[in-house]
Amino acid sequence: MVFALALLSNLLLATAALAAPSRLGARLERRRAGRQSQPIRLLESNHLDNLASNASHVEYSSNWAGAVWDSYPSGTFTSVTGTFTVPTPSGSSGAASAWVGIDGDTCGTAILQTGIDFTISGGQVSYDAWYEWYPDYAYDFSGITIKAGDSIKLTVTASSTKAGTAVIQNLTTGKTVTKSLTSSAALCEENAEWIVEDFEEGSSLVPFADFGTVTFTNAVATTKSGTTVGPSGSTLIDIEQNNKVLTSVSTTSSGVTISYV
């Protein structure tokens, strides 16, 4: 009788283990459901207090926070890079994503981007490394693990308006992943950005997580002429949802700091 009960218990545990979705499975299911970054969704807001306190121009968006170069002509930017420390989101549930990219602001037809999602669900935190050429969906990198406190370097490079690469380097573990991409959606190469985003799943924004602070260092955009541009003087973007500003952004010559407030 004891043996029979033990066998039944083991069978039930094995069945439960098989029925429980793995974290990887949950991530892949989310991708299949359509995790997607979006071009910036600007809001018509008038926050004179914030405008007065920043040297750079500030705009408000429902989905982007960070720094964007939006004043250059088409055919300018070929590469964008930045390094940040992976944060630990707080709260019970929500998500956010830190990424670098080319286009998506004044050029809304295509975006070449790569980044890290940070998700908290039931108090459990998980991370995804991904790449995307909008308007296609985002796809997970395989072969790289991300944890809080890791130093992550993100780079996108456009070899032409319809081809490029996305690279994520985990400087803490020494692991690098690279994806070569092509698209029928041509880049304008007129925007360079360092962003924390409230991304979209299934045609709606996910609940925006309190991500703490993301600081991009060694933030550089490279032009076709070979010159480099830092984020200082670029347009600052803060996320505003339900008439409440949720982020605060500042820049230096080589850095962008984005804080949840």
Side-chain angles (χ1 to χ4, degrees):
M1 182 67 174
V2 172
F3 174 77
L5 289 174
L7 180 60
L8 177 60
S9 176
N10 288 336
L11 286 172
L12 289 172
L13 287 172
T15 302
L18 289 172
S22 67
R23 182 170 292 180
L24 175 59
R27 288 202 301 266
L28 294 177
E29 184 63 32
R30 192 166 76 239
R31 296 298 182 198
R32 285 191 291 268
R35 183 263 185 243
Q36 190 177 44
S37 292
Q38 291 288 328
I40 190 170
R41 298 176 176 177
L42 289 174
L43 303 173
E44 293 186 5
S45 297
N46 183 24
H47 298 276
L48 296 178
D49 52 337
N50 280 10
L51 288 171
S53 64
N54 281 285
S56 298
H57 176 57
V58 178
E59 294 181 346
Y60 295 87
S61 160
S62 62
N63 61 333
W64 285 20
V68 180
W69 280 112
D70 57 6
S71 57
Y72 283 80
S74 295
T76 296
F77 295 110
T78 59
S79 182
V80 181
T81 189
T83 300
F84 75 100
T85 299
V86 176
T88 302
S90 60
S92 59
S93 64
S97 186
W99 55 266
V100 302
I102 297 173
D103 292 335
D105 188 304
T106 54
C107 178
T109 54
I111 316 171
L112 172 58
Q113 55 194 145
T114 194
I116 305 295
D117 289 350
F118 11 100
T119 302
I120 186 166
S121 178
Q124 298 297 310
V125 177
S126 61
Y127 300 97
D128 302 306
W130 56 271
Y131 57 90
E132 181 176 350
W133 193 309
Y134 176 88
D136 196 4
Y137 293 111
Y139 298 90
D140 274 333
F141 276 109
S142 60
I144 190 169
T145 58
I146 309 293
K147 66 180 185 301
D150 284 353
S151 179
I152 303 296
K153 183 178 180 180
L154 307 173
T155 305
V156 291
T157 302
S159 53
S160 72
T161 58
K162 294 185 177 182
T165 57
V167 181
I168 296 183
Q169 297 170 262
N170 189 326
L171 302 179
T172 301
T173 65
K175 183 65 178 179
T176 298
V177 286
T178 303
K179 181 66 177 180
S180 296
L181 298 166
T182 59
S183 177
S184 59
L187 297 169
C188 304
E189 299 179 327
E190 64 188 40
N191 304 138
E193 54 251 343
W194 302 266
I195 298 295
V196 169
E197 182 181 8
D198 185 0
F199 58 88
E200 185 176 280
E201 286 179 2
S203 75
S204 61
L205 296 177
V206 299
F208 191 46
D210 180 349
F211 58 88
T213 296
V214 167
T215 298
F216 289 101
T217 60
N218 300 314
V220 174
T222 303
T223 71
K224 281 191 175 179
S225 65
T227 60
T228 58
V229 180
S232 180
S234 62
T235 296
L236 305 186
I237 311 292
D238 275 317
I239 287 180
E240 179 184 335
Q241 295 178 354
N242 300 316
N243 296 315
K244 182 179 180 181
V245 178
L246 300 180
T247 60
S248 176
V249 180
S250 62
T251 60
T252 64
S253 60
S254 62
V256 180
T257 296
I258 308 157
S259 298
Y260 189 95
V261 296

